[in-house]
Amino acid sequence: LEGRKINFAAGPAKLPEEVLLKMQEEQLNFNGLGVSVIEMSHRSKEFGALLNETISLIRELMNVPDNFEILFMQGGGTGQFAAIPLNLKGSHDHADYIVTGAWSSKAAEEAEKYIKVKKVFQPSKPYVTVPDQDKWVHDEKAAYLYYCANETVQGIEFTPTAPESHNVPLVADVSSNFMARPFDFKDHGVVFGGAQKNLGAAGLTIVIVRKDLIGKQQAITPAVFSYKEMIANNSLYNTPPTGGIYTTNLVLKWIKSKGGLQAIYELNLQKSGLIYGIIDNSNGFYHCAVDKSYRSIMNVCFRIGGAAGNEDLEAEFLKGAAERNMISLKGHRSVGGIRASLYNAITLEETQVLATWMNEFQKAHS
Ligand code: PMP
């Protein structure tokens, strides 16, 4: 599309053009109602239908088992860092945390306000892998075992399966790989993420909760953060992010039109494989520090000019990328380097533009 950049942002991130065009088309008049979705009452019959359809689409595409509820909340992934211990503590005294990067670290830190946090291993920086599961210290009395399915900053993804649960409910932060691949709900108690990377706009947080875990909230739990309250009101306890739900509705239909999660996953493997392939065949010119077994298919993080990175080369790479229409490739400030976020909406063709530039850039510097 004319004037559009190739947007590798980590989130908020690129949305499919088909979705943006549909929003544009419906902006003045949604379904012949003479108003846009964001101008409608959240209690209207029409909005209720849109909300329920969105829930059904999530259930269908992710194959969410019947014993899970799907909630629309606000406060982002960060809000859930607090909501999880607030809702799941029950009579437990602590929760177990797997810290594999910046986001699980933040989650553990926030949780400490509401529950005793135990880390199953001592995290060590720089984060580059998921330590050997045999050596973790587990406790079957934990309220839950928390992990981040994809560390957005470091590019570390739990693959191909979730951690061993040791008979406590798993809590997964899927903010940056939501519907990037088929998901197995086995052993999970809560699966949550913000919509602003793979599923839509910032402001909507999707929380999928196992029914038997509902009702264990602490007395101080704010109503808007209470799973029980949200479920009792079909996510309409207060005004939900109506525009966000609408955007996600369209993204879900787009995912369905692409063949669902298996098809999306295969494409994601192809896209990330293309970039990792260049890194691995670059004789060290490009360097990805992440353990190969846990490399993210969403956020490909690498340095240029060796393992430590050469900041001048990286700046030149980013400048050349911008001249070729590619934006938001700068790594997170805490780790530096380059980060190419290849969320679902990024096409293979767009990934190929990046691949071509990487090859060209290396050639020019060897
Ligand atoms: N978890 C992960 C894995 C993330 O990538 C992010 C945001 N980048 C968050 C949590 C925090 O989400 P939010 O900004 O929606 O609070």
Side-chain angles (χ1 to χ4, degrees):
L1 281 183
E2 180 101 40
R4 292 269 296 166
K5 302 278 187 192
I6 302 179
N7 179 8
F8 292 105
K14 187 199 170 191
L15 287 175
E17 273 92 10
E18 293 94 317
V19 167
L20 297 171
L21 287 168
K22 184 76 176 164
M23 290 174 84
Q24 185 181 46
E25 180 193 318
E26 295 181 333
Q27 191 67 268
L28 294 175
N29 190 347
F30 174 73
N31 271 356
L33 296 170
V35 291
S36 65
V37 173
I38 56 176
E39 299 168 297
M40 279 163 52
S41 165
H42 61 292
R43 309 246 174 238
S44 64
K45 178 166 96 331
E46 293 81 7
F47 184 79
L50 183 77
L51 181 134
N52 287 328
E53 182 187 48
T54 311
I55 292 173
S56 301
L57 282 163
I58 294 172
R59 196 173 286 286
E60 176 190 339
L61 287 167
M62 263 186 115
N63 226 338
V64 180
D66 289 342
N67 60 329
F68 283 79
E69 297 276 359
I70 299 168
L71 307 180
F72 294 143
M73 298 179 75
Q74 300 185 66
T78 308
Q80 291 304 308
F81 294 170
I84 285 155
L86 280 166
N87 280 281
L88 302 187
K89 183 170 179 295
S91 57
H92 300 271
D93 110 296
H94 83 279
D96 279 350
Y97 275 73
I98 299 170
V99 174
T100 51
W103 288 109
S104 45
S105 170
K106 274 204 142 172
E109 197 182 309
E110 180 72 358
E112 275 171 4
K113 296 176 186 169
Y114 308 106
I115 197 167
K116 194 163 132 196
V117 166
K118 286 191 187 169
K119 294 178 185 165
V120 301
F121 55 82
Q122 210 37 55
S124 67
K125 287 190 194 176
Y127 299 109
V128 290
T129 189
V130 175
D132 194 355
Q133 298 207 25
D134 299 341
K135 303 202 175 71
W136 297 0
V137 181
H138 277 282
D139 186 340
E140 299 207 355
K141 293 203 189 80
Y144 55 88
L145 173 60
Y146 183 101
Y147 75 104
C148 178
N150 185 69
E151 286 285 358
T152 322
V153 172
Q154 282 82 14
I156 301 171
E157 189 170 12
F158 261 92
T159 52
T161 53
E164 194 61 56
S165 75
H166 291 263
N167 302 318
V168 305
L170 290 174
V171 173
D173 175 0
V174 297
S175 292
S176 53
N177 63 353
F178 224 148
M179 298 207 194
R181 56 168 79 221
F183 189 87
D184 186 355
F185 281 83
K186 185 178 163 291
D187 298 332
H188 285 78
V190 177
V191 177
F192 74 93
Q196 69 268 26
K197 298 166 199 295
N198 259 344
L199 294 183
L204 171 64
T205 314
I206 301 168
V207 186
I208 307 175
V209 190
R210 212 171 71 200
K211 289 179 182 168
D212 63 287
L213 296 173
I214 293 156
K216 296 169 184 275
Q217 71 282 350
Q218 302 186 33
I220 57 160
T221 307
V224 291
F225 272 173
S226 162
Y227 298 159
K228 187 170 181 218
E229 214 59 89
M230 281 293 163
I231 288 162
N233 292 281
N234 196 27
S235 296
L236 295 171
Y237 177 82
N238 67 327
T239 317
T242 52
I245 292 168
Y246 166 58
T247 310
T248 293
N249 179 281
L250 295 180
V251 173
L252 294 168
K253 286 175 181 162
W254 175 84
I255 292 177
K256 196 170 165 177
S257 78
K258 294 288 159 188
L261 298 198
Q262 185 60 34
I264 289 270
Y265 174 46
E266 283 163 24
L267 187 61
N268 285 335
L269 278 179
Q270 216 181 334
K271 284 152 42 186
S272 54
L274 181 61
I275 304 304
Y276 285 123
I278 291 174
I279 294 169
D280 291 341
N281 291 313
S282 70
N283 288 320
F285 181 72
Y286 295 116
H287 180 85
C288 171
V290 180
D291 182 344
K292 280 193 184 166
S293 321
Y294 298 105
R295 282 176 169 181
S296 171
I297 60 168
M298 294 279 96
N299 311 100
V300 180
C301 300
F302 60 96
R303 303 294 313 230
I304 306 179
N310 174 327
E311 287 181 18
D312 293 337
L313 273 183
E314 288 165 351
E316 193 187 328
F317 178 86
L318 291 172
K319 186 164 170 282
E323 285 161 11
R324 285 159 184 79
N325 215 29
M326 291 177 280
I327 60 164
S328 299
L329 281 164
K330 200 171 170 34
H332 190 269
R333 62 191 182 280
S334 63
V335 293
I338 310 296
R339 170 172 58 180
S341 295
L342 307 175
Y343 296 124
N344 291 350
I346 295 284
T347 63
L348 182 60
E349 293 69 32
E350 289 177 317
T351 313
Q352 277 157 346
V353 176
L354 174 62
T356 301
W357 171 230
M358 288 174 73
N359 283 329
E360 201 182 305
F361 188 75
Q362 182 177 3
K363 221 180 216 165
H365 289 277
S366 54

